Amino acid sequence: MPWYWTAILWSPVIFTTQSLFLDTILLHAWPHQTFIADCLRRGDPPLWNPFIAFGHPIWANPQTFPGNPMALPFHVWTFATGLRATLLVNTMLAALGAWLAARRLGLPRRGAWLAALVYSGNGFFILHAGFLSNLGGLALLPWLFVPNLRTRLGIVAAGLTGALLLLGGHPQLTLSAILLRVFLPPRAHLSRWAWASVLATARTGAHLLPAAKLYPSLARAAGLSYDASRDC
């Protein structure tokens, strides 16, 4: 079902020459992913982008997600083809994750299918599909409800999901997802979440350490006014 649904939802973008044109794709995703892909094709490690803000450390900005496997389509194909594949895969993950989470929460099959369709096809999801860090985070959010944290395998799976959320590059969404999972049923002991958090942090250290070094020097580190935050 998720395969058919995603193909129908994004058919104008996937099967025609139409494109999902939003400013965040043109101004953010395209330059970052094109630069990283060019570096990889040349065999150079994508560590520093000299074309942004007089020099930009790639690994200090998780929104460039060079270590995230979700960015692989951009490194294999052209940006346009990679964007189509990313939309398809992430929407499929969102629908499948919502179905599995609904079943884990005790919903019947029909209710789980409805949850999958509503979650992966709602207006908020589609509106934010052009912001790739939002898209990846929304696709992974329901997967936090799937692992059984009473088992070691479940703790490892939750840690892996948390790591992918952190690599997705949207801190607010990651924090919201973790809070939802901690406080909503089925609940698990905080010690198990602590182990999952340790695993997630360890797997993303290559991003988190340089990011922690860079962020205090950014303009937003001192906070934003209410009016400024509305313009972001």
Side-chain angles (χ1 to χ4, degrees):
M1 180 65 176
W3 289 265
Y4 300 115
W5 168 241
T6 53
I8 294 172
L9 181 64
W10 295 113
S11 57
V13 177
I14 297 172
F15 301 114
T16 71
T17 57
Q18 296 185 37
S19 176
L20 183 68
F21 185 84
L22 296 172
D23 58 348
T24 51
I25 292 179
L26 181 63
L27 301 177
H28 188 275
W30 177 72
H32 279 305
Q33 297 308 319
T34 301
F35 177 79
I36 294 172
D38 290 342
C39 287
L40 294 176
R41 292 189 185 100
R42 295 194 306 266
D44 298 330
L47 301 177
W48 184 264
N49 186 346
F51 303 111
I52 297 179
F54 299 100
H56 178 78
I58 295 293
W59 285 81
N61 181 3
Q63 290 192 3
T64 59
F65 37 87
N68 192 333
M70 295 291 188
L72 186 61
F74 296 110
H75 305 160
V76 176
W77 299 303
T78 64
F79 181 81
T81 303
L83 179 61
R84 294 186 178 97
T86 299
L87 290 172
L88 185 65
V89 170
N90 280 278
T91 308
M92 188 185 304
L93 282 174
L96 183 59
W99 188 88
L100 292 172
R103 293 292 292 165
R104 179 95 169 85
L105 294 171
L107 269 68
R109 287 183 177 273
R110 290 183 179 180
W113 285 125
L114 180 61
L117 292 175
V118 170
Y119 183 78
S120 61
N122 68 79
F124 184 86
F125 187 94
I126 296 173
L127 178 64
H128 289 79
F131 196 2
L132 298 184
S133 60
N134 268 336
L135 176 65
L138 290 171
L140 291 169
L141 191 154
W143 287 89
L144 285 175
F145 290 85
V146 176
N148 182 2
L149 292 179
R150 294 187 177 91
T151 66
R152 293 182 179 179
L153 181 60
I155 293 175
V156 172
L160 177 60
T161 305
L164 290 174
L165 275 168
L166 288 170
L167 290 173
H170 200 276
Q172 300 96 316
L173 185 57
T174 301
L175 179 60
S176 300
I178 293 174
L179 290 176
L180 280 173
R181 183 57 188 92
V182 170
F183 292 106
L184 290 180
R187 295 182 180 179
H189 196 276
L190 288 179
S191 63
R192 299 181 183 274
W193 275 115
W195 280 112
S197 300
V198 169
L199 289 173
T201 304
R203 289 167 180 164
T204 56
H207 274 304
L208 295 180
L209 291 177
K213 179 68 175 179
L214 175 67
Y215 282 0
S217 63
L218 299 180
R220 293 186 180 183
L224 294 174
S225 66
Y226 174 74
D227 292 335
S229 65
R230 292 180 60 188
D231 295 334
C232 293

